[in-house]
Amino acid sequence: MKPLNDSERAELLRNLDGWTMVEGRDAIRKQFVFDDFNAAFGWMTRVALAAEKMDHHPEWSNVYRKVDVTLSTHDANGLTRRDIELAQKMDQFAAGLS
Ligand code: HBI
């Protein structure tokens, strides 16, 4: 998998809501905030199953109702389409929940 070029990443980032570039690293991040821990962990469970199917795994941490997510493709040493696809899934699953 090849890292995204500049125009690809500009275009794809424009289609993502609330994701930003990580300083000093070719990765994107977003903080998701849910109603409570149950909603946060339920969302994480859905994402975990989807991520496992894609063989593409998030770096994330959870405190109560917040989940901090960083996505990057380690194999490619940077951002790829897979990160964008997983980011979109996360947004879809969170829609209506957060
Ligand atoms: N998840 N986000 C992410 N990036 C990877 O490069 C990656 C992964 N999950 C599994 C995976 N790579 C495997 O292909 C190997 O690294 C084992």
Side-chain angles (χ1 to χ4, degrees), residues 51 55-59 70-76 82-83 86:
D55 192 25
H56 200 63
H57 305 91
E59 299 169 31
T70 298
L71 299 176
S72 178
T73 303
H74 315 128
D75 296 357
R82 286 209 164 168
D83 299 302
L86 186 55

Side-chain angles (χ1 to χ4, degrees), residues 84-97:
I84 306 296
E85 281 163 25
L86 186 55
Q88 281 169 340
K89 275 217 169 97
M90 289 181 165
D91 283 344
Q92 277 166 24
F93 291 163
L97 253 186

Side-chain angles (χ1 to χ4, degrees), residues 37-58:
F37 177 74
N38 234 16
F41 200 76
W43 175 84
M44 290 177 84
T45 304
R46 283 192 76 188
V47 170
L49 296 173
E52 181 59 18
K53 258 193 206 152
M54 297 168 73
D55 192 25
H56 200 63
H57 305 91

